[in-house]
Amino acid sequence: MSAHPSRELLERLAGARRVVAFTGAGVSAESGVPTFRTTDGIWTKFKPEELASMEGFMRNPELVWEWYAARKRIMAEVRPNPAHEALARMQALVPHMAVITQNIDGLHHRAGSTLVYELHGSIERNYCMRCGRRHSNDEVLRQTGVPCCLGCGGTVRPDVVWFGEQLPEEEWNNAVHASGMADVFFSVGTSGVVYPAASIPFIALDAGAYIVEVNPEPTPLTEKVHEYLQGPAGSILPVIVHTLDSRKL
Ligand code: BV8
């Protein structure tokens, strides 16, 4: 267990053709976005089923929209941190690199990452449950309570994947394909408890990738990885990319 990348990882990364970074809420923690399950996580205040599910939404749409509106306002204020920036830089240094994220905060895109698969949707998108019309955050946040469709008057919901809902098929298929082809696979800032996303690292492991976990805390994946780098992603990932950068000069 170390916070410093091994020579083997750096050698593998320098020669890798296909790299994947799989991220969870922990990669955005240093941007000030609350995680879900660490002691100050947002789930500690609510049960996921109460808020991030169709049942919860139908039961109390006002409460669910109050939660999402608050998160939308937080996400609009936060910025990518050195972890997001390091992954975006890494994408520029390796031939093929995909970022697969469970996060809905859009921070990988804002850090400059090019190929990002958002498995659980995006806090920046909303749609009408009746006609499907898409709505921006400006269009929903200027309305009070549960926003109505500007086209048909139907109920608008966040474009995120709730518990009990299927993941977007194309994003999922792309993520599975990329993970099955990876030479080096990073699992960064995820507790690995939400499925089917949590099965992604095992797809890469079974396909022979060199698996690296970056997390201050061990997870169900830790005992299976080739390299566990214990610590915050915002400190660990820049060291890896700086070393890679200096080799590529
Ligand atoms: C599905 C979007 C089936 C919304 C999210 C009963 C009924 C229904 C389903 C189920 C059920 N039982 C189990 C399931 C399956 C369920 C599931 O897995 N439940 C879990 C809780 C047991 N999954 C689903 O329901 C999925 N859909 O199964 O559909 C189906 C099949 C066919 C047809 C129809 C349906 C959908 C799951 C998606 C839910 N949506 N988000 C929103 O965000 O509002 S999940 C939510 O959790 C976020 O996306 C989050 O990213 C994700 C996972 O959490 P993590 O990212 O790992 O975050 P967490 O806080 O847990 O961990 C943070 C980690 O970071 C920690 O390890 C910490 O140590 C570390 N960390 C902290 N600081 C740092 C750090 N690391 C690095 N650096 C730091 N600085």
Side-chain angles (χ1 to χ4, degrees):
M1 192 182 322
S2 158
H4 298 287
S6 68
R7 173 175 297 281
E8 176 167 9
L9 168 56
L10 297 173
E11 297 294 344
R12 284 176 176 268
L13 204 47
R17 290 202 50 69
R18 296 181 179 280
V19 175
V20 165
F22 172 66
T23 67
V27 81
S28 299
E30 292 159 88
S31 294
V33 179
T35 63
F36 289 81
R37 292 166 191 85
T38 35
T39 47
D40 62 345
I42 35 182
W43 293 137
T44 52
K45 301 169 184 69
F46 303 101
K47 286 196 183 63
E49 298 73 27
E50 280 171 25
L51 298 175
S53 70
M54 182 56 81
E55 292 73 20
F57 184 68
M58 300 313 280
R59 190 166 50 246
N60 192 340
E62 290 79 8
L63 174 65
V64 173
W65 258 111
E66 190 183 325
W67 185 53
Y68 278 98
R71 288 172 71 195
K72 286 172 185 286
R73 291 191 174 97
I74 292 171
M75 307 290 189
E77 298 304 313
V78 299
R79 296 283 170 268
N81 70 59
H84 300 106
E85 289 158 356
L87 292 177
R89 178 69 187 139
M90 193 186 289
Q91 278 188 308
L93 294 171
V94 300
H96 299 279
M97 178 173 171
V99 173
I100 302 170
T101 189
Q102 300 170 86
N103 301 339
I104 63 173
D105 57 32
L107 288 176
H108 287 299
H109 285 294
R110 286 170 51 194
S113 272
T114 45
L115 189 55
V116 182
Y117 300 131
E118 293 177 316
L119 296 183
H120 293 158
S122 171
I123 199 82
E124 290 164 2
R125 300 194 303 262
N126 313 277
Y127 65 89
C128 174
M129 295 169 72
R130 183 190 298 166
C131 72
R133 186 188 192 278
R134 295 203 163 280
H135 289 65
S136 70
N137 280 345
D138 284 347
E139 288 174 324
V140 298
L141 294 178
R142 73 164 76 110
Q143 299 186 46
T144 53
V146 180
C148 297
C149 176
L150 300 180
C152 74
T155 300
V156 176
R157 62 164 281 179
D159 187 7
V160 298
V161 180
W162 279 335
F163 287 98
E165 293 186 326
Q166 272 195 304
L167 276 57
E169 191 173 357
E170 190 178 349
E171 305 286 285
W172 174 254
N173 291 341
N174 288 336
V176 169
H177 177 73
S179 302
M181 302 279 287
D183 302 313
V184 177
F185 181 101
F186 291 90
S187 179
V188 183
T190 179
S191 61
V193 298
V194 173
Y195 281 84
S199 62
I200 288 285
F202 295 95
I203 291 171
L205 179 69
D206 293 347
Y210 187 81
I211 312 289
V212 183
E213 182 175 39
V214 179
N215 196 318
E217 306 290 332
T219 72
L221 183 68
T222 306
E223 63 190 17
K224 304 231 180 349
V225 301
H226 298 96
E227 191 155 342
Y228 173 40
L229 298 175
Q230 184 166 23
S235 308
I236 290 175
L237 291 177
V239 168
I240 295 172
V241 172
H242 175 71
T243 311
L244 186 63
D245 233 336
S246 54
R247 285 167 179 262
K248 295 270 181 179
L249 291 180

